[in-house]
Amino acid sequence: MFEEGQLYSPVTVGADGSVEVHLGADHPGLNDPAYLARRGEIAAAALAWEPGTPVPLIGYTAEENEVWRIAGAELAPKHQRHAHSEYLRGKAALGLPADRVPQLAMVTEHLFPLTGWSYAAAPGLVPLREFYGALGERVFHSTQYLRHPSQPLYTPEPDVIHEVIGHANQLASPRFARLTEAAGAATRRLETDAAVKAVADVFWFSMEFGVIWEEGILKAYGAGILSSFGEMDAYSHMEIRPLDLHQMATIPYDITTYQSVLFAAENLDQLEDVVGGFFDTVDDVSAHRLLGEHAHA
Ligand code: TIH
Ligand code: FE2
């Protein structure tokens, strides 16, 4: 959803209607025919889905439910220790099941009454403008497949564990939900692709990989950290910089490994002022000025 064609495995539809998911050379599921077939099945359900109708129900297997259960059980104590209290409040309010993968319809049922958000089905990559534009309408495009069971602790490719344990719990907080919606509304105003990319990159270093000081301890609120129990252990050892919109919009990052540079807000109010203020006011001119600005010492 951020770097076209990179973050998600491409999905193609053959002349006979067969749906294929093309996993990268280093994907742990590459040589697992059953996993590949399953990815095709789940992608096909999303492709066949018509927005406005109920999102597809997936009949999750015992093995898939087990991947969900293990990830959730490993993450829970790490969240208690290292997640920001606002995320923990959202997670408690959302109250999703621990023992089986929730259907996206269930995520919406729990989330909508809290903050007005709904989950829509995505086969994989959704074009940047479509993904972010929908955030402005409080719609989150979510994948439904699970990461490969051999590597549950981290996946470079967002899956339903990331979308739900990371984002839905975050979106259950009215404050994080508002920031996310503001990023969506911003992209609807922007004309140039570079300006949209600037918003996506600031989003990456905030709602995806943001950290925040809370009572002198560095806590995580970014969905990409909170869905990866490997990264939950690693994030506090990374290079931590204060919020800086120019840097967040311009520094290069590798989406396939733990993030080595993170931007920390002093507190939630500062996050809302700086990042929320940017999303609320950015236009093409100011986005280009931000991109061109010289880094200040
Ligand atoms: N690395 C995350 C995880 O393992 O849950 C998933 C991703 C989030 C953002 C990009 S990839
Ligand atoms: Fe994400």
Side-chain angles (χ1 to χ4, degrees):
M1 71 188 97
F2 301 99
E3 302 284 349
E4 298 237 3
Q6 289 179 23
L7 201 53
Y8 292 88
S9 304
V11 174
T12 55
V13 183
D16 61 349
S18 61
V19 174
E20 241 189 285
V21 179
H22 305 270
L23 303 181
D26 52 357
H27 196 290
L30 187 63
N31 298 311
D32 179 343
Y35 183 78
L36 277 167
R38 181 64 172 154
R39 288 290 299 266
E41 233 170 69
I42 293 178
L47 286 170
W49 174 62
E50 306 260 1
T53 66
V55 288
L57 290 179
I58 305 294
Y60 288 109
T61 63
E63 191 186 28
E64 287 169 331
N65 283 326
E66 187 62 4
V67 173
W68 173 274
R69 195 192 62 73
I70 291 169
E74 291 283 343
L75 285 168
K78 295 186 199 288
H79 286 167
Q80 287 309 322
R81 243 175 302 132
H82 301 302
H84 187 264
S85 59
E86 184 67 16
Y87 171 86
L88 292 175
R89 259 194 299 282
K91 185 180 176 184
L94 197 61
L96 288 174
D99 59 333
R100 72 207 129 90
V101 190
Q103 299 292 336
L104 298 188
M106 183 195 241
V107 175
T108 299
E109 259 168 51
H110 287 230
L111 191 53
F112 193 84
L114 296 173
T115 54
W117 281 74
S118 319
Y119 264 49
L125 177 76
V126 176
L128 207 64
R129 275 182 197 271
E130 225 179 284
F131 178 82
Y132 278 95
L135 297 181
E137 278 101 55
R138 300 197 205 108
V139 172
F140 193 92
H141 284 98
S142 172
T143 56
Q144 293 177 285
Y145 55 80
L146 286 118
R147 58 194 61 190
H148 194 264
S150 68
Q151 280 183 36
L153 92 171
Y154 175 86
T155 166
E157 182 188 34
D159 67 341
V160 68
I161 292 175
H162 169 69
E163 319 277 30
V164 174
I165 295 184
H167 289 288
N169 287 329
Q170 187 190 53
L171 290 168
S173 144
R175 297 181 76 174
F176 290 138
R178 224 203 63 69
L179 282 165
T180 308
E181 184 181 343
T187 62
R188 287 279 196 234
R189 292 193 299 273
L190 299 172
E191 275 171 26
T192 71
D193 290 346
V196 170
K197 181 72 166 55
V199 168
D201 285 345
V202 171
F203 189 90
W204 178 266
F205 283 113
S206 55
M207 306 320 289
E208 288 288 351
F209 289 96
V211 292
I212 191 163
W213 292 103
E214 188 171 35
E215 290 165 13
I217 299 168
L218 193 65
K219 298 289 179 91
Y221 71 92
I225 301 178
L226 292 162
S227 64
S228 160
F229 53 90
E231 199 144 353
M232 281 297 283
D233 286 333
Y235 78 85
S236 61
H237 308 294
M238 299 304 179
E239 183 187 336
I240 308 297
R241 302 186 187 173
L243 289 184
D244 180 314
L245 292 170
H246 169 73
Q247 287 185 32
M248 292 162 85
T250 54
I251 65 164
Y253 53 91
D254 180 354
I255 61 178
T256 64
T257 64
Y258 295 169
Q259 296 304 298
S260 55
V261 175
L262 300 173
F263 292 90
E266 287 161 22
N267 49 49
L268 205 42
D269 287 341
Q270 193 217 10
L271 181 71
E272 288 169 332
D273 284 352
V274 174
V275 173
F278 168 70
F279 291 151
D280 283 342
T281 59
V282 64
D283 58 17
D284 285 278
V285 173
S286 63
H288 284 265
R289 202 183 306 126
L290 181 70
L291 291 170
E293 196 179 274
H294 293 288
H296 20 75

